[in-house]
Amino acid sequence: MRMAPGQVRPSPVVAPPRVLWVGAVGEPWLALSRATRALGWDAVQSPSPPEPSRARPALVLVDWRQLPVRGPAGAWKARLGLSGVPLVLVAEPETPAEVLELAHVEGVEDCLLTPVGEGAVRSRLAALVASSASPPPSRYSPRVVLLAGASGPRAWDGLGAHLEACGYHLLYGATVAGVASRLLEHGRAPHLLVVAGGPASALWMRASPRARELLEGVPSVTLDVGEGFRAAPVLPRVHALLGREGASLRVEERVSFCCPVEFAETGVRGLSWLSGVSFAMSPAGLFLHTLVPARAGSAVALRIHLPTTGEVLESPGVVAWSNPFSPRPGPSRPHGMGVRFLGMGPPRLMHLRQLCQTPPP
């Protein structure tokens, strides 16, 4: 028997994924420890925000008491070197609205309500290890919108951010050729191209033949995005071009209203409640940040915890769109789901309209 020449190098040891809990040792930490142990993951506990480490965690859970009360927006997450790492807030139904607003600024993408159960933690870990394969197309598949000439979601009076909040997937580029190259990079079929008009209309005229070939047949809209441009009037036009019913979306009518929300898919035997957090609400529906959204088209039951009054507003709804967690970089879209209210009685609907008309102090 002949031996292979040279020294045989041992296979590198792959460290298990790590989950960080920022908070005191207690019930959330115990639930996290049990869930990670069952999967062979590592769980690390820190009573306060730790110093940055080379070993980046795959997920961070933070007690609401650990969020900073001062400092620039997003400084806490940036200081810990957690860019791109999902951040889950562990909160109580009575958590002050001011803390939830801080969570929004820090980029929190999910919320676990106490008491935290092992199943709730397991669902988040499962979302991290789930297959990143693209789901088969369906009538609920997200629409891909290209913005040529926009620097990001906040450009053009926040048009991109509005469209993302409607459930669309956005690709941004400084030029038409730029968004076309991003299509090649991500392999997504576009449904609409929005191009800056006015003095910048030459963006389309300067497009390369290759870019024109890639975008041939894609419906396009040219907008005058000069001084005084407003995004809200454009949304119904985009909805119509994409074949979406826009009356129930009404992103322009949403107001900042931070609250934890529990949800459960109905129509199955026994309700399995999950949670998330909403940072904006309208009389027609809300956008729920969560790593474990329900499927698009699902009927759901909602429990909306109102921190300003301590009440719980219950309502049925339907999931208009859903963006599950994906570790792969791709089109810009928020993780979570858009829920349209259904069958809300007059008293609750009037209460909700009052809340949306008067933003909390």
Side-chain angles (χ1 to χ4, degrees), residues 250-284:
R250 297 187 180 178
V251 174
E252 67 276 13
E253 294 184 7
R254 294 181 186 175
V255 298
S256 176
F257 196 91
C258 302
C259 56
V261 179
E262 295 179 277
F263 66 95
E265 288 193 50
T266 59
V268 295
R269 183 175 299 178
L271 295 182
S272 179
W273 290 92
L274 294 169
S275 61
V277 60
S278 177
F279 299 122
M281 189 184 303
S282 78

Side-chain angles (χ1 to χ4, degrees), residues 309-324:
T309 62
E311 301 172 81
V312 178
L313 182 63
E314 298 185 2
S315 172
V318 63
V319 180
W321 57 266
S322 178
N323 286 330

Side-chain angles (χ1 to χ4, degrees), residues 278-357:
S278 177
F279 299 122
M281 189 184 303
S282 78
L286 55 79
F287 166 44
L288 187 60
H289 289 262
T290 178
L291 300 178
V292 288
R295 296 166 298 175
S298 301
V300 292
L302 300 172
R303 295 173 181 164
I304 305 170
H305 296 266
L306 307 178
T308 53
T309 62
E311 301 172 81
V312 178
L313 182 63
E314 298 185 2
S315 172
V318 63
V319 180
W321 57 266
S322 178
N323 286 330
F325 174 78
S326 174
R328 299 182 306 170
S332 297
R333 78 279 190 195
H335 296 135
M337 60 185 183
V339 181
R340 184 171 68 246
F341 298 136
L342 289 178
M344 186 177 290
R348 286 182 297 174
L349 184 59
M350 183 178 297
H351 188 193
L352 183 60
R353 291 187 181 277
Q354 292 173 346
L355 291 173
C356 292
Q357 290 172 359

